[in-house]
Amino acid sequence: MEAADEWLLQSLRLYRDLHTFELQAPTRLIEWARGDRRVGWAGGKPSPCSWLFMPTHQGVCVAGYGQSDGNEILQLIPPPTLLTKETQGLCPERDFKVECGGFSERPVYSLKYVPDTSLLVTSGPPDSSLQVWQVSAEDSDVIKSISTIATENGTGQSWAKIDTISARAPWVLHGSRLDRIQITEVESRKNVYTAGIQAPQGSEELSSLAFLDCSLLLLCSATGRLCLADTRQPQGLTEAVPVPSAPSSERWCMGTRHAAQGSQPSSQPVARLSSRGLLALTDLRKTSEFLAVAKARVPSSGSGAEFLCVSWAPALEGYLAVSGFDGTVHVYDTQSWDSSGREAEPIFVHKGHTFGGAGGSRDPPLVTVHTWHLQKPRTLLSAASDGSLHVWDWVQPCGKCG
Amino acid sequence: MPEIKVTPLGAGQDVGRSCILVSIAGKNVMLDCGMHMGYNDDRRFPDFSYITQNGRLTDFLDCVIISHFHLDHCGALPYFSEMVGYDGPIYMTHPTKAICPILLEDYRKITVDKKGETNFFTSQMIKDCMKKVVAVHLHQTVQVDEELEIKAYYAGHVLGAAMFQIKVGCESVVYTGDYNMTPDRHLGAAWLDKCRPDLLITESTYATTIRDSKRCRERDFLKKVHETVERGGKVLIPVFALGRAQELCILLETFWERMNLKAPIYFSTGLTEKANHYYKLFITWTNQKIRKTFVQRNMFEFKHIKAFDRAFADNPGPMVVFATPGMLHAGQSLQIFRKWAGNEKNMVIMPGYCVQGTVGHKILSGQRKLEMEGRQILEVKMQVEYMSFSAHADAKGIMQLIRQAEPRNVLLVHGEAKKMEFLKQKIEQEFHVSCFMPANGETTTILTNPCIPVDISLGLLKRETAIGAAPDAKRPRLMHGTLLMKDNSFRLVSPEQALKELGLAEHQLRFTCRVHIQDPRKEHETVLRVYNHLKGVLKDYSVQHLPDGSITVESILIQATAHSEDQGTKVLLVSWTYQDEELGSYLTSLLKKGLPQSAP
């Protein structure tokens, strides 16, 4: 208990605000229930992709991924301190409230809200099919399973990675390998687009995928290969950026940043993180070279790449966060990076999860996921394998980091 | 079917007061008698007309149980017992009995003296009400009457809070009141044994909360105090004598020591005496740590915390003061508040809920200009903070408690049914029990399946053991006996013993059936044919041919006579006792089919 008490005392100067929660079951996803309200369109021709959105927070979603049946999906209302941009003076409530919940028969590895609808999509082992759920917070607090989007399950298919968009219709982009990705209409379950890369690269497992906008897709394979696709072109997937280093047993994942209003989606740098701690930043308009490469200061032992996570700060230019190596979350300022690949100094390290409540003899907890608050610039949420969920607002150190 | 009925009293969906009526096996119990703190009129009292319809409360209710001293659980008790009228027993734990009247009197003073209300109970009524109280110890089985018994369990939450088990025969209900499952600095965690009640009644309001850890709340408190003291400000913490004050003191003392801080911390003397007094009385109710500290030294002997003198309030520089009363409605804390309110460097941290009408409640609602005595206006420039340290169970805690107690049914009060469906499903799925969520004023009926214990006589037991394998607790076995109900006991005895005890004579029933067979031979030849036939067919039975010409199959007797009018027909008389009915009728139908044609 000593070390934990010590950290808590230090936290008084390290964080502006700090909340620690214990979920009944650990989660490996934290999704903002982003109720983007359409409020108009941003200049120029009104096309579906230039709507002006005002992001409003309705809550945060977490879900269980354990082996047993009955994994819970929980939509939580954050404490009032998190819902507003400024920290209010008098906020007695520091708790999350469970707004609604559902039960999933399979572990939930990935979850995405379908914008402009009351639906969400989940995926998880044992196959690459997707489950569609209805959230109807008005008349009941149960998240109901309404349909399944089946996929052809070839051999060696693991669970599907997903992303959603509501452009012409609510769509979900999904796939588990580079040889077959699809866009399916969520409500009708009709397939609207399919693409894939031929063998041998096609058999590579996908580690993440994203809609850059309603027609541009970005995929990242576990080997670090980045592929782009334009749904309007017939060619399908094109390899944009090869693997950043000599292929080894490293696994890679990517983090993309949502474009600010009016700017091109491909102007945002894409970050790729390897299980060895290598961070490669790429500008999609100039894929022949790296924007920057650095090495995160993470333990070299590498506890596997199951929970690798890298994400860009939505409100701080050039900042990104990295987790999945141990019980910490690192925040880096990439603006000073070059392409040398040398070790970078984190601006801040959140160590809270290492002082796991259960303590002692068991394996130290591993951070499973982290996400940034959409408006409060230095606030992050992180979850670990012991069921802990932290919300923290770190203090920008003026000189070197602590 | 036997049933348990539960009715939460109150109007509509409002949360904020606890008062639940339970009917179990013909007994009626009221659980808690809380005041609704949000109303100023009669809506603050529970709606007792639901019960009084049935006549006098004292006749109808067998007892009233109060779980702890918070006003939303006991605030309406004097009104109920003295103004509506109830003279039966009121059960609560010893600390609750000691603290309740203090809080009730405080509350009465605020409501009547400060706000000038008239329809309210008097000081004398509080005293008269407390005379009806019977104090109980933890885990002590208390016989309310011959059939109804209650038992209190530790609930944590506040000093003296208890969960109660109400038992009549084999049916039982457990009411949790407010509780928490994680121990804190001065109280332990709630605990229930595997009592397997038919019904567990608990609050739903906290079930959908995921609580921020205690340590982060404490951190927030320390941060606020530290920041104020760093900028030279003064921190006022109004507290009630018991509970959080000790915790916060311990917390600050540790922090001051660790950070080597110099600003003085004071607590008012009234606080010390009262707190010490109560802690001495109820030392077993606190957790291990406090008990150890108390044994080693005086509860309030801190290195950095000193006794307060009212003159100190005017000293320059930073300081922290703990003062009573907790809602800033009178006394020392209000005095200090008036002195410090005008300086924006200062801070007041309210550690609990404040009743309407108090200064505490006003400033928490955002009022910054207060009217004091003599029409003086006080401008509040100091920072106002509210810390919620109350220890309540959350969703995880409720699941833990259900797991400990293993109830057959769960009932959640004070929730909106629509908003509780997820929790209901969760409980039903995980524990395979039914989960009920009545609205206020709605009665829920839970069917129970009580086991009726029956004593079995030794003779019968021995006899059954002799027949087959030894009795196995895991395998049900069918056996025959006679159930005797005498007075209030049930016994299973052999029929012979039952007859003896009841003084009845045993009657034997014997059946005789005539079967006609075509057989022209002599009788003894027919008998032989029958004998051989039966011997061949009934290989597992004992078939005997007796010297007197009759055949026995087990205990069934068969005799053959000639038909009086027809020589070609023989009449077989088959005779059996009631016990051999089955075999008897089988034999009869077998014989009716006729004998085989082959030569004997």
Side-chain angles (χ1 to χ4, degrees):
Chain A
M1 260 313 154
E2 275 294 329
D5 284 334
E6 188 61 42
W7 177 72
L8 208 63
L9 280 174
Q10 278 185 14
S11 77
L12 285 172
R13 104 192 120 73
L14 292 175
Y15 300 88
R16 254 194 6 181
D17 209 4
L18 176 67
H19 299 247
T20 62
F21 301 92
E22 245 181 74
L23 296 172
Q24 275 189 265
T27 182
R28 53 185 291 169
L29 57 96
I30 304 174
E31 288 293 323
W32 285 100
R34 234 189 121 127
D36 285 350
R37 275 185 293 127
R38 232 176 287 198
V39 292
W41 43 77
K45 265 202 281 232
S47 76
C49 302
S50 49
W51 292 101
L52 194 67
F53 288 92
M54 181 150 89
T56 56
H57 291 123
Q58 289 159 353
V60 150
C61 198
V62 296
Y65 61 92
Q67 289 309 307
S68 57
D69 189 8
N71 290 292
E72 284 177 11
I73 299 173
L74 299 174
Q75 181 170 292
L76 311 172
I77 303 176
T81 41
L82 292 185
L83 288 178
T84 58
K85 186 161 195 256
E86 298 305 319
T87 308
Q88 286 178 311
L90 203 68
C91 260
E93 289 305 319
R94 297 177 61 88
D95 307 327
F96 271 101
K97 279 211 117 31
V98 176
E99 190 180 9
C100 35
F103 298 98
S104 168
E105 283 168 2
R106 48 171 83 196
V108 183
Y109 277 34
S110 182
L111 183 151
K112 285 274 186 288
Y113 280 91
V114 182
D116 297 337
T117 68
S118 59
L119 303 171
L120 57 85
V121 180
T122 63
S123 69
D127 58 38
S128 57
S129 60
L130 312 178
Q131 290 73 47
V132 182
W133 306 77
Q134 169 109 19
V135 182
S136 47
E138 293 308 309
D139 26 305
S140 130
D141 67 341
V142 176
I143 301 176
K144 294 188 197 47
S145 166
I146 56 175
S147 61
T148 304
I149 295 174
T151 55
E152 289 161 26
N153 293 317
T155 49
Q157 296 265 15
S158 68
W159 55 283
K161 318 306 183 273
I162 56 181
D163 193 12
T164 52
I165 200 168
S166 276
R168 269 162 245 134
W171 285 348
V172 58
L173 167 66
H174 59 107
S176 64
R177 286 196 337 200
L178 271 181
D179 57 6
R180 188 185 173 81
I181 56 139
Q182 293 173 266
I183 298 181
T184 308
E185 238 180 50
V186 179
E187 276 147 353
S188 64
R189 286 175 282 159
K190 213 173 62 174
N191 198 55
V192 296
Y193 176 82
T194 311
I197 271 195
Q198 299 309 311
Q201 291 108 343
S203 61
E204 280 172 18
E205 197 189 318
L206 270 175
S207 71
S208 7
L209 43 72
F211 276 106
L212 290 179
D213 64 26
C214 55
S215 23
L216 266 184
L217 316 171
L218 183 63
L219 315 169
C220 178
S221 77
T223 56
R225 197 183 306 281
L226 276 183
C227 299
L228 272 172
D230 189 327
T231 59
R232 299 165 294 195
Q233 314 288 8
Q235 293 104 297
L237 289 178
T238 51
E239 180 170 327
V241 188
V243 293
S245 58
S248 56
S249 55
E250 283 176 279
R251 268 191 69 103
W252 292 80
C253 71
M254 78 167 172
T256 52
R257 191 171 188 227
H258 286 285
Q261 299 309 327
S263 64
Q264 285 302 307
S266 48
S267 68
Q268 295 303 312
V270 175
R272 274 172 298 166
L273 171 70
S274 86
S275 50
R276 225 181 11 104
L278 211 60
L279 272 160
L281 308 183
T282 308
D283 184 332
L284 289 175
R285 297 165 299 188
K286 258 170 92 176
T287 56
S288 51
E289 60 191 51
F290 291 119
L291 208 54
V293 180
K295 175 131 182 3
R297 194 188 287 167
V298 290
S300 49
S301 56
S303 43
E306 175 108 42
F307 302 123
L308 282 187
C309 187
V310 58
S311 63
W312 289 99
L316 284 176
E317 197 68 37
Y319 276 61
L320 54 71
V322 156
S323 69
F325 299 91
D326 55 17
T328 65
V329 181
H330 288 215
V331 179
Y332 291 93
D333 178 0
T334 66
Q335 289 175 326
S336 58
W337 288 4
D338 54 26
S339 316
S340 65
R342 82 180 98 119
E343 198 171 79
E345 187 83 7
I347 288 283
F348 187 79
V349 178
H350 173 65
K351 297 190 188 135
H353 292 283
T354 58
F355 304 104
S361 46
R362 283 214 303 250
D363 292 325
L366 194 57
V367 173
T368 55
V369 69
H370 71 263
T371 191
W372 291 80
H373 192 282
L374 296 173
Q375 287 142 338
K376 289 159 92 78
R378 272 176 293 277
T379 302
L380 282 102
L381 288 82
S382 54
S385 54
D386 62 351
S388 56
L389 175 67
H390 291 189
V391 184
W392 38 284
D393 183 351
W394 47 280
V395 172
Q396 182 81 2
C398 26
K400 269 176 64 171
C401 80
Chain B
M1 282 294 285
E3 51 193 33
I4 297 177
K5 288 193 159 77
V6 180
T7 313
L9 296 179
Q13 292 300 326
D14 58 15
V15 190
R17 97 160 77 70
S18 294
C19 187
I20 302 166
L21 198 60
V22 173
S23 285
I24 172 173
K27 304 287 172 189
N28 298 305
V29 177
M30 183 187 282
L31 301 169
D32 279 337
C33 191
M35 179 83 79
H36 196 304
M37 312 301 279
Y39 293 121
N40 282 333
D41 50 31
D42 284 353
R43 283 176 299 177
R44 61 182 150 207
F45 301 124
D47 183 12
F48 298 119
S49 63
Y50 180 86
I51 335 170
T52 52
Q53 274 167 27
N54 302 322
R56 280 180 10 107
L57 279 177
T58 313
D59 297 334
F60 179 76
L61 285 175
D62 291 279
C63 72
V64 172
I65 298 175
I66 302 290
S67 62
H68 64 287
F69 62 65
H70 275 159
L71 290 174
D72 55 343
H73 287 256
C74 73
L77 193 61
Y79 168 82
F80 168 73
S81 71
E82 306 311 305
M83 290 169 84
V84 179
Y86 170 74
D87 297 315
I90 301 173
Y91 293 96
M92 56 180 81
T93 60
H94 287 271
T96 311
K97 183 175 179 184
I99 299 166
C100 244
I102 304 172
L103 280 181
L104 287 170
E105 180 56 35
D106 256 0
Y107 180 49
R108 190 206 65 78
K109 262 202 269 213
I110 297 168
T111 314
V112 175
D113 300 346
K114 296 257 169 210
K115 292 167 68 193
E117 302 236 2
T118 45
N119 187 27
F120 214 76
F121 46 82
T122 63
S123 292
Q124 187 56 42
M125 285 182 189
I126 298 175
K127 295 198 180 89
D128 292 336
C129 171
M130 296 313 286
K131 287 194 191 119
K132 300 172 184 168
V133 170
V134 178
V136 304
H137 292 286
L138 282 179
H139 307 162
Q140 171 199 9
T141 302
V142 174
Q143 293 289 143
V144 176
D145 61 33
E146 276 175 2
E147 291 156 322
L148 173 63
E149 59 185 48
I150 63 172
K151 184 155 75 165
Y153 288 91
Y154 191 77
H157 185 55
V158 291
L159 191 67
M163 304 188 283
F164 278 88
Q165 179 192 44
I166 298 123
K167 201 160 163 182
V168 183
C170 316
E171 290 173 83
S172 64
V173 170
V174 169
Y175 171 59
T176 64
D178 285 343
Y179 63 100
N180 64 288
M181 298 301 285
T182 41
D184 61 29
R185 281 173 209 271
H186 80 297
L187 287 175
W191 180 84
L192 271 183
D193 52 16
K194 221 177 260 305
C195 47
R196 300 217 173 101
D198 289 283
L199 181 64
L200 178 76
I201 302 176
T202 189
E203 284 280 329
S204 63
T205 31
Y206 302 103
T208 46
T209 308
I210 298 178
R211 306 206 85 215
D212 188 11
S213 68
K214 196 68 187 301
R215 315 181 96 237
C216 281
R217 290 169 193 275
E218 290 178 346
R219 177 197 171 270
D220 200 33
F221 170 72
L222 288 175
K223 194 158 196 293
K224 292 187 157 67
V225 171
H226 187 47
E227 279 167 2
T228 306
V229 156
E230 289 265 273
R231 63 169 182 246
K234 297 172 165 58
V235 184
L236 171 65
I237 308 172
V239 285
F240 176 61
L242 282 134
R244 301 302 145 194
Q246 280 67 42
E247 267 205 74
L248 299 177
C249 282
I250 297 170
L251 191 57
L252 277 189
E253 164 98 345
T254 321
F255 184 57
W256 247 241
E257 180 76 28
R258 176 64 182 71
M259 304 288 278
N260 203 17
L261 297 175
K262 300 292 177 224
I265 311 177
Y266 301 110
F267 47 66
S268 50
T269 41
L271 194 71
T272 332
E273 282 157 18
K274 271 201 209 119
N276 269 331
H277 168 69
Y278 285 113
Y279 269 90
K280 275 208 190 93
L281 271 185
F282 304 120
I283 194 64
T284 48
W285 281 84
T286 62
N287 70 15
Q288 269 302 99
K289 250 199 254 176
I290 296 271
R291 238 172 288 165
K292 265 203 319 208
T293 326
F294 204 82
V295 165
Q296 288 166 10
R297 58 158 203 218
N298 180 337
M299 263 297 294
F300 276 83
E301 248 170 52
F302 289 109
K303 224 172 99 178
H304 302 272
I305 309 183
K306 303 279 175 250
F308 187 68
D309 183 294
R310 58 158 71 180
F312 295 170
D314 298 315
N315 288 0
M319 71 174 81
V320 181
V321 176
F322 288 91
T324 55
M327 301 185 215
L328 282 183
H329 53 280
Q332 193 164 66
S333 60
L334 185 59
Q335 265 179 21
I336 302 170
F337 173 74
R338 292 171 79 150
K339 286 201 172 154
W340 295 356
N343 188 339
E344 64 263 352
K345 276 205 248 178
N346 297 340
M347 180 188 282
V348 60
I349 303 181
M350 307 298 298
Y353 176 85
C354 291
V355 169
Q356 266 196 23
T358 55
V359 170
H361 188 267
K362 290 188 182 139
I363 58 176
L364 282 176
S365 317
Q367 251 186 280
R368 290 296 176 262
K369 284 189 160 61
L370 303 172
E371 193 179 303
M372 312 300 279
E373 282 101 49
R375 298 283 192 89
Q376 277 194 312
I377 301 291
L378 178 67
E379 242 193 87
V380 180
K381 292 201 189 133
M382 77 193 305
Q383 251 184 281
V384 178
E385 295 288 340
Y386 170 72
M387 299 267 100
S388 154
F389 272 114
S390 70
H392 275 290
D394 57 5
K396 190 171 172 179
I398 291 191
M399 301 304 271
Q400 266 179 285
L401 194 72
I402 298 175
R403 201 168 291 121
Q404 269 182 21
E406 286 187 19
R408 290 200 197 97
N409 299 280
V410 174
L411 190 136
L412 304 169
V413 287
H414 294 148
E416 275 181 65
K418 283 197 312 213
K419 301 291 181 186
M420 307 262 52
E421 223 189 294
F422 174 62
L423 179 67
K424 179 175 139 87
Q425 274 189 26
K426 197 167 130 121
I427 293 175
E428 287 178 342
Q429 275 182 14
E430 182 148 347
F431 301 110
H432 306 289
V433 296
S434 303
C435 186
F436 301 88
M437 302 167 314
N440 285 340
E442 190 187 311
T443 302
T444 305
T445 306
I446 288 119
L447 298 176
T448 56
N449 234 338
C451 281
I452 301 169
V454 170
D455 288 323
I456 180 172
S457 80
L458 196 56
L460 191 60
L461 189 61
K462 279 191 183 159
R463 184 200 290 186
E464 284 295 322
T465 316
I467 299 178
D472 184 342
K474 296 193 180 111
R475 283 159 188 268
R477 211 168 82 184
L478 193 64
M479 53 167 286
H480 294 274
T482 312
L483 187 68
L484 283 179
M485 292 194 287
K486 199 168 169 194
D487 301 317
N488 270 333
S489 72
F490 294 85
R491 275 180 311 130
L492 199 61
V493 298
S494 64
E496 295 81 25
Q497 186 171 347
L499 286 168
K500 202 162 78 174
E501 285 194 28
L502 296 169
L504 297 172
E506 187 175 356
H507 291 72
Q508 290 274 353
L509 282 176
R510 198 160 189 91
F511 299 91
T512 309
C513 193
R514 284 180 167 73
V515 181
H516 295 247
I517 309 187
Q518 294 298 109
D519 192 351
R521 282 165 282 206
K522 297 236 182 20
E523 279 146 37
H524 69 267
E525 284 169 353
T526 312
V527 169
L528 204 55
R529 275 185 74 198
V530 171
Y531 171 70
N532 285 324
H533 172 53
L534 288 180
K535 191 110 178 128
V537 177
L538 303 172
K539 292 199 171 60
D540 295 328
Y541 295 89
S542 148
V543 185
Q544 290 179 337
H545 190 179
L546 299 179
D548 68 357
S550 57
I551 301 168
T552 58
V553 177
E554 301 289 330
S555 61
I556 298 171
L557 189 65
I558 306 174
Q559 289 170 324
T561 55
H563 196 280
S564 47
E565 281 138 36
D566 178 7
Q567 272 299 316
T569 307
K570 297 290 174 293
V571 179
L572 293 178
L573 283 158
V574 189
S575 169
W576 63 89
T577 61
Y578 178 66
Q579 277 82 352
D580 296 320
E581 162 109 30
E582 249 185 81
L583 186 56
S585 45
Y586 171 67
L587 262 182
T588 312
S589 23
L590 181 64
L591 291 171
K592 279 191 177 146
K593 288 195 189 128
L595 295 173
Q597 287 309 307
S598 54

